[in-house]
Amino acid sequence: MANVAPVGTNIAAQTANVGSLFSLDVSGVFTDADADAMTLSLTGSVPAWLTFDAATGVLSGTPSPGDQSVTPSTVRAADSFGGIASESFELTMANVAPVGTDIAAQTANVGSLFSPDV
């Protein structure tokens, strides 16, 4: 009987926020009709901050401000009989803008130093 290669499902584009932990589980992306054991790997432009645990299928890491960019990456599944499937996705590093609070109304008196309490 001939081997049937693994089949993948689309991985949506992902966004990793600078300074926050990014985690993506790709373990369920691939299936194999023969139920062959599969080995997962990550290829393409893999950022230095991103690690991939092939045993669990989890990509994780925390990008820094200098890591901001768009990175095309590919997850690949190979079965034990030479069948291969791959799914590509874009990973965008985004800088999250700081969030401020409202400043209360202030009063300035003519002729006096104004020093707001913020």
Side-chain angles (χ1 to χ4, degrees), residues 6-115:
V7 175
T9 56
N10 185 47
I11 301 172
Q14 302 291 312
T15 300
N17 294 319
V18 169
S20 296
L21 177 64
F22 169 81
S23 182
L24 175 65
D25 184 348
V26 297
S27 62
V29 169
F30 299 96
T31 57
D32 189 292
D34 302 327
D36 298 331
M38 292 182 287
T39 302
L40 298 176
S41 59
L42 182 65
T43 63
S45 302
V46 181
W49 61 268
L50 187 64
T51 60
F52 181 60
D53 184 336
T56 63
V58 175
L59 296 113
S60 63
T62 304
S64 297
D67 295 323
Q68 297 177 46
S69 66
V70 176
T71 304
S73 297
T74 300
V75 179
R76 179 182 141 165
D79 71 18
S80 52
F81 296 98
I84 296 172
S86 62
E87 290 294 329
S88 297
F89 66 99
E90 283 192 350
L91 176 58
T92 302
M93 277 60 76
N95 195 4
V96 178
V99 177
T101 58
D102 291 336
I103 299 173
Q106 304 287 312
T107 302
N109 295 316
V110 176
S112 297
L113 176 65
F114 176 67
S115 179

